[in-house]
Amino acid sequence: MLTNARLVYQPHDHVRSLNAAISRAHEICNTSNVRLTSTREAILKLLWQSHQPLGAYQLQQQLSKVTDKPVAPPTIYRAIEFLINLGLVHRIPSLNAYVGCPFPNSEHSNIFLICKSCKTVAEVADNRVNSLLENVSEKATFTLENQTIELFGLCPNCEPGASDE
């Protein structure tokens, strides 16, 4: 499966994407017999409302505005850890920030296309990359637990001449 990252950078139904992500989160939580608390859901919504990755302190500030009460950093980190463990959110190590996962509950390579200009992030998955990583790991008798590939460049909207189209 290779997703078309170009679609992420083009206009799309943001509300529909958000609603689908929240619906999937509820399904995964029900299947896993865990609770998607209001704080966890609010953090997931904040991540999906932004195409840019958000750090824990950014999430804390935004969540405090939404709830009109202060939210302690440990609460944010526990909620993020919960969402990561369910595969609903990814951490982007180089940015120390988080994004919602469009492919929850699936085995896929974590490949992130990060625009250096607008900071937008698109996640893509490609079975060929998954196979390559598995083969390399097997040959080295290495047990691959997780991986992240970060590619930096310019998105279609920020490429020189993009506004000329």
Side-chain angles (χ1 to χ4, degrees):
M1 160 180 70
L2 175 63
T3 60
N4 186 347
R6 191 166 190 84
L7 295 176
V8 174
Y9 297 113
Q10 294 175 341
H12 63 280
D13 188 342
H14 205 63
V15 173
R16 186 173 167 197
S17 297
L18 172 63
N19 290 340
I22 298 303
S23 178
R24 280 192 308 268
H26 281 285
E27 290 170 13
I28 290 168
C29 286
N30 287 338
T31 301
S32 302
N33 202 28
V34 294
R35 283 187 55 226
L36 185 64
T37 64
S38 59
T39 300
R40 293 168 179 168
E41 184 172 337
I43 288 172
L44 187 60
K45 284 180 180 178
L46 288 171
L47 288 171
W48 273 96
Q49 288 169 342
S50 173
H51 283 295
Q52 296 180 347
L54 299 174
Y57 288 102
Q58 290 172 301
L59 287 166
Q60 179 189 19
Q61 289 173 343
Q62 290 184 23
L63 190 59
S64 293
K65 291 176 187 174
V66 172
T67 61
D68 287 330
K69 60 182 179 179
V71 181
T75 301
I76 301 295
Y77 283 109
R78 281 192 301 269
I80 290 169
E81 183 178 345
F82 173 88
L83 296 169
I84 287 173
N85 289 339
L86 286 179
L88 297 168
V89 167
H90 291 295
R91 179 176 180 268
I92 300 181
S94 68
L95 303 176
N96 194 24
Y98 306 90
V99 293
C101 176
F103 317 112
N105 272 357
S106 67
E107 292 292 324
H108 63 281
S109 49
N110 299 333
I111 305 171
F112 299 102
L113 308 176
I114 304 168
C115 181
K116 295 187 315 182
S117 179
C118 70
K119 308 299 184 224
T120 300
V121 172
E123 181 179 356
V124 295
D126 187 330
N127 286 336
R128 296 169 297 181
V129 172
N130 295 346
S131 295
L132 174 66
L133 295 173
E134 288 170 13
N135 290 338
V136 168
S137 297
E138 284 177 21
K139 287 179 183 176
T141 61
F142 178 79
T143 303
L144 179 65
E145 294 180 359
N146 61 54
Q147 58 76 34
T148 301
I149 300 171
E150 300 178 25
L151 306 173
F152 291 86
L154 295 175
C155 74
N157 297 325
C158 292
E159 289 177 8
S163 60
D164 299 339
E165 294 177 15

